[in-house]
Amino acid sequence: DAKTTQPPSMDCAEGRAANLPCNHSTISGNEYVYWYRQIHSQGPQYIIHGLKNNETNEMASLIITEDRKSSTLILPHATLRDTAVYYCIVRVAGAGGTSYGKLTFGQGTILTVHP
Amino acid sequence: NAGVTQTPKFQVLKTGQSMTLQCAQDMNHNSMYWYRQDPGMGLRLIYYSASEGTTDKGEVPNGYNVSRLNKREFSLRLESAAPSQTSVYFCASSVRTGLHEQYFGPGTRLTVT
């Protein structure tokens, strides 16, 4: 699986957009980009995923660069409840021995939303 | 829907004791997983069950056993607890393996003294 690099921490003002970057320069053509977050003391929560097109759901938007070497998770109107560790994960399915769709969590970005 | 539930929420064991962590999901998912989370290590997969009746080792299976009791329930057993197994344990489930998103339970905080 491709390695991801995220900034260790970011701050955002409440009500503003939070843009969380992720670098995955060694990503392969069959690898997807996933984002999860973990609010303190809770289990990780799925946010969004994509392959090469930009994606949007009720929680966030995912912007993937054309060369797929990096992506940005956008929380359009951050609230205090969005304070969490955000994980960018690259996943591949079905490649021998990893048919369970390995989900590898790195260190993530600690996002702190301020009032 | 309750989603993924785990019991107990907290547990303290002495070295050598055994216990079973319980996990259940009500989303009719086929696949279930057990992870552990340690400071600075991220989450690591212990065991998974792609479907009812099957289980497979993950990255760190030593010292653990699992049982897929039925489609809803997937338990994790520590036969002889060691201090190195002090961790937060998360259960997760997904529609199937592969690229389907995984839904996590609230976790069990285990301390082995």
Side-chain angles (χ1 to χ4, degrees):
Chain A
D1 293 343
K3 179 179 167 60
T4 62
T5 304
Q6 299 177 251
S9 64
M10 294 184 66
D11 291 323
C12 179
E14 191 176 19
R16 303 297 295 268
N19 297 280
L20 292 91
C22 179
N23 182 287
H24 32 79
S25 59
T26 60
I27 194 169
S28 301
N30 62 344
E31 290 180 313
Y32 287 69
V33 179
Y34 277 70
W35 284 82
Y36 279 75
R37 72 180 182 184
Q38 188 170 22
I39 296 170
H40 182 60
S41 298
Q42 297 182 22
Q45 178 188 22
Y46 165 79
I47 301 173
I48 198 168
H49 76 278
L51 180 62
K52 54 183 178 181
N53 297 322
N54 297 338
E55 303 287 345
T56 295
N57 62 20
E58 65 279 3
M59 287 185 68
S61 295
L62 174 60
I63 308 298
I64 302 175
T65 58
E66 192 168 342
D67 63 6
R68 305 210 319 124
K69 292 183 185 298
S70 66
S71 60
T72 301
L73 177 75
I74 301 172
L75 308 178
H77 304 287
T79 71
L80 299 179
R81 289 178 295 177
D82 292 321
T83 293
V85 181
Y86 286 77
Y87 297 98
C88 171
I89 300 164
V90 171
R91 298 179 75 191
V92 62
T98 61
S99 60
Y100 61 83
K102 188 174 179 180
L103 194 60
T104 301
F105 288 78
Q107 299 304 306
T109 295
I110 300 171
L111 174 68
T112 303
V113 180
H114 298 283
Chain B
N1 286 351
V4 179
T5 57
Q6 293 182 236
T7 56
K9 287 188 169 54
F10 301 93
Q11 183 72 46
V12 179
L13 291 178
K14 294 186 187 304
T15 297
Q17 287 184 317
S18 62
M19 78 160 296
T20 300
L21 281 64
Q22 307 286 353
C23 173
Q25 52 90 11
D26 62 1
M27 297 175 281
N28 201 35
H29 285 171
N30 291 292
S31 303
M32 299 184 73
Y33 313 80
W34 276 106
Y35 291 85
R36 60 178 287 174
Q37 184 172 35
D38 304 298
M41 297 290 291
L43 273 77
R44 293 181 291 170
L45 183 69
I46 305 172
Y47 270 93
Y48 70 100
S49 170
S51 60
E52 186 179 356
T54 70
T55 61
D56 286 285
K57 295 178 180 179
E59 302 170 76
V60 288
N62 291 346
Y64 305 95
N65 286 301
V66 290
S67 296
R68 183 74 183 266
L69 304 169
N70 46 55
K71 191 172 185 179
R72 289 187 65 248
E73 298 172 289
F74 188 37
S75 62
L76 178 72
R77 181 160 179 85
L78 287 70
E79 289 291 353
S80 178
S84 61
Q85 294 178 305
T86 293
S87 188
V88 181
Y89 292 85
F90 290 103
C91 177
S93 70
S94 63
V95 171
R96 285 186 295 278
T97 55
L99 292 173
H100 292 275
E101 55 266 30
Q102 295 177 18
Y103 295 86
F104 286 78
T108 294
R109 295 182 181 279
L110 175 67
T111 302
V112 183
T113 61

